[in-house]
Amino acid sequence: MMVMVVTTIGVASWLAIVNGRTMYTEAVEDGMRRRVALENSRSIAEEYMYRVAATSDAAPAASFPLDPDAIPNPNPPAEADQPDIVEQVQIAANADGPLEASSTDPISRVNRLGMAEGIDCYQTFYNVALGRGTNQRIRRFELRGRSPILYGDLVTLHRPTLTPGSTSSPDIRFRGNVNVKGRTVLWRPDMIDYDSDSLFSSNEYVLKSRSYGDLPVYNSVGDRLRPSNFPFKPTSAGSTAAGDLGFDGRLSTVENASNPINTLFGRIGGVGGTVGRVEANGDAISSERGVVSNGSGSISIDLSESSLSKIYIKNNTRTITLNGQADDTAFDAAADLQPVILVIIQDGLTSRDLDTIQLTHRNSRRLIVAVKTTIDAGQSASRLRAKFRWMNSNASPKPTWRLIAIAENTEIRFQHDADNSHVTIFGGIRTDRGFYSDNVDTKSFTIERETNPESTLTALLDRNVWLESYNPD
Amino acid sequence: MRTRIYRRHNRAGYTLVEAAVAATVLLIAVGAACALSLTMITQEEIHVRVSRAVNLVENATQLYHLGIDTEVPSGSTDATVFSLLPPDPMVSSFTATAQTSPAMTGIGAPQQVSFALTFFPTADPAVWQPATTSFSGTWGGRPDTAVAGNSDTRTIGPVKAVRPSVR
């Protein structure tokens, strides 16, 4: 009897435990669905903030109720096709976004955050309440923006905005004896024509998506690099056109009427902002803040001129000469001058299309060269390029240049005027039409990160924004 | 005169019928206990498998939310999401089906995928072994469908995962 009693008690206890586990297992599935619903709701809130705040300067609505019943069923009549979401998302209003130039001053809720090595990040935040009934969860979303070049993306090949001339031989060429001491970012490797004799190497290598294939990128000792990224955080520099979002890798930060706050043209004043700006359109300029134009498509710019800061060149210019510093004294002094932005826009091909940007001596002045060509597809690649040609490049010491080059619909091509030469560039490049350097056996380049951008350069450059989410508890 | 003295035995005893009934009751009790134990062991196994299946589905949704693709990359047989999950022989199928994006006013059309995992919930003599076959585009584990009598399945899902279209 005792044995039976003990056994009965034991079996009853086991039954109770199993029953409890049954209830727990059922709750596990419910809990999983609730967590997925919260994540889904958070994703929808992110989508809203990306579209409203990250791609424009518009402030999101003060309150954004999210009603699952209001969402059209995409696959009727199956009710199960509705996504699991919570009942309400409340997004706190915010007036400013981290893309705008005015965020250089801490206004409203836009803050500057000091990042590594003196590089600033611009941030605003949203408190978002995700609710189901009376149960509310508060998430804090931080929308941050910074210059990708200053943060280490030294070479970025974007997705072209305009279709390349030929799909079998696309204009997006990638070749060079270039050692990148930072990250190389490729948005669409499948659209790139990669030369097999290229000696391109990089410290790191980031792909937008594995589904677009891969390219043979090597490190400095010749080992094949694997992409260092896991999932790619959505980033945007803003709308690329009216009604178009900028999350697919297209580059539109030189000039963009749909998103002027984050363009380099906007940084030099934009349309009508001529104060302190030297403008050239092919007409002769005898001398204005160190800029000379011969009226025949040739412009010379003295980078040691202290009053120079903004230059806008529109059409009719074939050759631009950027004169650096010839001696050590001038070289050291130029490092303390204000940065120079040179914006070149070609909105129609002429007999004097941009071809060559000559660079003489060395340069320690912070320099941004932005080029945009707005002609359509089908044009020859040779008419869509900016050749950066270093003069006396085999001089001693080897030339070093502070240079950030951003080219839309324009190939960036690096050249030396002499063999056995090497140029070190402190800055980076972004282009959507390829990056190409000549004579890989005898002419080489190193691109290094600008480690002392100072706040003026940080504020002048275009930015990419992304969202981060935190639990404030 | 001889007197026959009959003594009553004081020792208690059971008749054969009594013993048989007792043995039958005991056998029934033991049998019931064994059956109950088997049931409960099976139930425990089901709990473990359901929990595992739920975890797999949740992990897949989390990877999707992180930005991992549900497409099959070139040179692979499995979708990227599934290739990051451990193979499990209890899984019969694990699918990620792209859904029509739910267009929302003022938001756009977030990406949406429906995950569904079908598994064998009962205990079986399946041997855990490395994947030798795969479900093209869905799952890289080796399912134990070859086990005789193991045809009952249970499905977790569909579970809809939504992520921003801006990527």
Side-chain angles (χ1 to χ4, degrees), chain A residues 21-22 35 40 47 51 80, chain B residues 44 58 107 160 162 165:
Chain A
R21 286 183 180 170
T22 301
R35 286 191 294 274
N40 287 346
E47 172 95 15
R51 285 179 180 264
Chain B
E44 295 253 18
E58 185 169 10
I107 295 179
K160 308 292 185 304
V162 177
S165 64

Side-chain angles (χ1 to χ4, degrees), chain B residues 25-44:
Chain B
V25 169
L26 190 59
L27 276 175
I28 291 172
V30 170
C34 288
L36 191 59
S37 297
L38 283 174
T39 303
M40 287 191 290
I41 289 170
T42 304
Q43 198 65 33
E44 295 253 18

Side-chain angles (χ1 to χ4, degrees), chain B residues 75-101:
Chain B
S76 176
T77 55
D78 298 319
T80 309
V81 162
F82 297 133
S83 66
L84 296 171
L85 295 173
D88 192 328
M90 75 170 187
V91 176
S92 171
S93 69
F94 197 176
T95 57
T97 308
Q99 301 281 295
T100 305
S101 298

Side-chain angles (χ1 to χ4, degrees), chain A residues 29 68 82 86 113 116 122 126 167 172 183 199 219 240 251 255 261 265 293 296 307 323 343 350 386 425 443 467 473:
Chain A
E29 188 168 349
Q82 294 278 25
V86 298
L113 299 176
Y122 300 85
Y126 306 95
T167 53
I172 307 169
R183 281 185 298 276
L199 298 176
N219 63 17
T240 52
L251 177 65
E255 186 271 337
I261 60 167
F265 184 55
S293 172
S296 303
S307 63
N323 295 300
V343 176
T350 67
I425 296 159
K443 301 173 181 179
L467 269 178
D473 295 335

